Each structure stands twice: as structure tokens, then as C-alpha cells.
Amino acid sequence: QVQLVESGGGLVQAGGSLRLSCAASGRTFTSYTMGWFRQAPGKEREFVAAIGRIGNAYYVASVKGRFTISRDNAKNTVYLQMNSLKPEDTAVYYCAADSSVVIRTDSRRYDYWGQGTQVTVSS
């Protein structure tokens, strides 16, 4: 069992930055691929980024070059650094853990989820 707790969301102006954190419980953090997803009002949950056990990362095209995912295995924490934020980035952001070795973008494949943190970007 893995429990995930996100933090770091908030309100920011377009062009600004935020860093999301996701703290994981348990001693098996390094066994999981960690992902970030987001869901805007009236839209389906979408993949944002993921980082594998060895630190390999993958991003959705719309955030590539602006967002950076990283993990600190000593702290059982995964981060999402978000720069050059746009109003269309506004959503609830969720952290998730997947036991697969391969990075997957399908939210249905992820085993554990956090409660989400709101990110609002004003124009």
C-alpha cells in the first residue's frame, strides 16, 4: 500500500512558476514509476509527465520544455516544476504510482493516487 500526498498548488499569473510535491509513504517508493496527471473542469483526466525508477522521464507534448519531473528517492518524493505557466494549465493535479517498469500514460494503469492539488493560472 502506498499513500500519496500532493502539495504546492496555488494561484499564479500566466508566465509564472509553481513546484508541486508528492510525498509517498512506505519503503517501496523506488519500485514505482511516478506520474503526474491533471483534470480540468469538464474534461477527462490527462497524463502530464512520468518518471521511471531509474530517472527516465516522459512528458506530454503540451508541457515539454516548460515542466520538469524529478524524484528524490531518499525523501520518497516526486516533484513537478512548472514554468511559463499558461491559463490552459489550470486543473487539479494528481500524483500517481505505477508498479510497471515501463512508463505508461494511461491513468487506468496506475495503482495509487493522491487527493490532488489545485493549480490556477490567471491571464
Side-chain angles (χ1 to χ4, degrees):
Q1 187 78 9
V2 176
Q3 292 185 328
L4 304 173
V5 179
E6 302 99 332
S7 60
L11 173 64
V12 64
Q13 288 189 332
S17 299
L18 283 173
R19 188 176 82 154
L20 305 183
S21 299
C22 173
S25 66
R27 296 177 290 178
T28 59
F29 178 74
T30 54
S31 299
Y32 291 90
T33 291
M34 299 300 297
W36 286 97
F37 291 78
R38 66 186 179 188
Q39 188 166 19
K43 295 188 176 182
E44 293 187 354
R45 190 171 297 188
E46 67 167 344
F47 172 83
V48 176
I51 186 165
R53 303 175 187 183
I54 60 173
N56 51 311
Y58 182 76
Y59 302 89
V60 68
S62 60
V63 308
K64 193 174 291 186
R66 299 188 299 122
F67 291 10
T68 302
I69 189 170
S70 61
R71 64 192 299 163
D72 186 336
N73 291 334
K75 295 182 178 180
N76 281 10
T77 301
V78 61
Y79 304 97
L80 186 67
Q81 177 67 45
M82 305 185 295
N83 299 329
S84 303
L85 282 161
K86 305 176 181 179
E88 50 264 43
D89 294 319
T90 295
V92 177
Y93 283 70
Y94 297 90
C95 172
D98 181 6
S99 57
S100 171
V101 175
V102 179
I103 287 179
R104 299 189 287 192
T105 62
D106 185 347
S107 62
R108 295 169 296 180
R109 303 297 186 182
Y110 282 70
D111 304 298
Y112 302 102
W113 291 84
Q115 81 289 350
T117 185
Q118 177 70 48
V119 171
T120 303
V121 184
S122 63
S123 57

